[in-house]
Amino acid sequence: MAARMRGTIEPLALTAAIVAAGMAVFYVWLMGQQGNQPLPWVLIGLLAGALLAAYGAVWRVPYRRAALVSAVIALTVLGVLGILSIGLPILAAGILALVSLLRPGRHQAL
């Protein structure tokens, strides 16, 4: 059974999801340190990108590619918009999701 489960998770998409979720937490903390409220649309975009990348990290789920495309768009746009502050790690998460999307499916050989 362990051999059957091997390769069911795409590590790049999972890493993108972890980075995006971490940046959402960091964004809330940073806004609090500056005495500001986090913008809801930024927080929703980060969390949506994280959830979509996490969903897309599983090889055998339906609509995996659509979820990764959505994650790439959300994270890349947010990364570019925030490039002068916290955007670089968010942009990196978007690129990781893109590379995961473009990788050939290993699950088809199982």
Side-chain angles (χ1 to χ4, degrees), residues 22-108:
M23 290 309 296
V25 171
F26 179 72
Y27 173 68
V28 170
W29 175 82
L30 184 64
M31 289 293 103
Q33 290 294 316
Q34 294 177 352
N36 297 322
Q37 291 288 331
L39 295 172
W41 63 271
V42 173
L43 196 54
I44 289 169
L46 283 172
L47 293 176
L51 289 173
L52 288 166
Y55 180 82
V58 181
W59 279 108
R60 296 182 178 166
V61 294
Y63 306 111
R64 174 185 180 271
R65 295 183 63 77
L68 284 175
V69 166
S70 300
V72 167
I73 292 169
L75 294 173
T76 304
V77 167
L78 288 173
V80 168
L81 288 175
I83 196 71
L84 295 178
S85 59
I86 65 168
L88 193 58
I90 299 168
L91 191 57
I95 292 170
L96 283 172
L98 177 64
V99 171
S100 173
L101 176 66
L102 297 177
R103 287 180 75 180
R106 297 180 312 200
H107 68 288
Q108 294 172 353

